[in-house]
Amino acid sequence: TMPNRPERLYSLFILCCLWIGLFTYFAVDAGGRMGQCLLGIPDVVMGLIVFAAGTSVPDAMGSIAVAKDGMGDMAVANAVGSNTFDILLGLGLPWFLKGAITGEPIIIPTQLLTEAILILASCLFLYLCILTANKWILTRLMGFLLLALYTTVIAFILIWYEVQYSGQL
């Protein structure tokens, strides 16, 4: 049920955020352990493929809903805004809190980090190239090209990891 007093909205919103954060922590921890222990997949690869897809599905559903209503600009803005939020607040807030609480610098494991950033930048660049070549019009062909690009990126990540860290294909 919805609260009938407006002052309760803020406390309920904060409580929902805390619950989502708690469940997300356990889901990511369990997924990372499952990937590492059972499947032999490192955290970075799990994050780039499995977790990224899992967290993006709700955003994709929202984008599809508004795109069907003829608001393609809102769909694109949702995708860009969501990733901006994830990178700046989703990483910035926990790092700030840990640094503020412990007073120690946070050491980030760099295994595949450079490659992940290059993949992200390359995808953004190719997205802009495809969009510009298509005169900023979203079409089925453009959708197909973006799906093909995503499939190529996933294949690249898996093959690159296998070659670099397992020594075999």
Side-chain angles (χ1 to χ4, degrees), residues 7 12 19 28-29 32 41 96 112 114 121 139 142 147 160-161:
E7 60 272 4
L12 289 174
W19 276 112
V28 169
D29 185 59
I41 300 172
F96 168 75
L112 289 177
T114 303
T139 62
M142 184 175 172
L147 287 173
W160 191 89
Y161 170 75

Side-chain angles (χ1 to χ4, degrees), residues 14 20 45 50 53 84 99-100 117 125 155:
I14 291 169
I20 290 169
V45 175
V50 178
T84 302
I117 292 170
F125 177 74

Side-chain angles (χ1 to χ4, degrees), residues 14 20 34-35 43 45 68 87 90-91 105 110 116 125 139 142 156:
I14 291 169
I20 290 169
M34 184 174 62
D43 292 339
V45 175
K68 282 184 176 180
I87 291 170
L91 294 176
T110 58
F125 177 74
T139 62
M142 184 175 172
F156 173 79

Side-chain angles (χ1 to χ4, degrees), residues 134-153:
N134 209 35
K135 297 182 175 83
W136 296 88
I137 298 172
L138 304 173
T139 62
R140 284 186 182 170
L141 176 61
M142 184 175 172
F144 175 77
L145 290 173
L146 293 174
L147 287 173
L149 176 61
Y150 181 71
T151 304
T152 304
V153 166

Side-chain angles (χ1 to χ4, degrees), residues 1-23:
T1 62
M2 289 296 295
N4 52 5
R5 294 189 325 238
E7 60 272 4
R8 292 201 58 213
L9 290 175
Y10 299 112
S11 60
L12 289 174
F13 177 74
I14 291 169
L15 186 61
C16 286
C17 289
L18 291 173
W19 276 112
I20 290 169
L22 181 70
F23 286 126

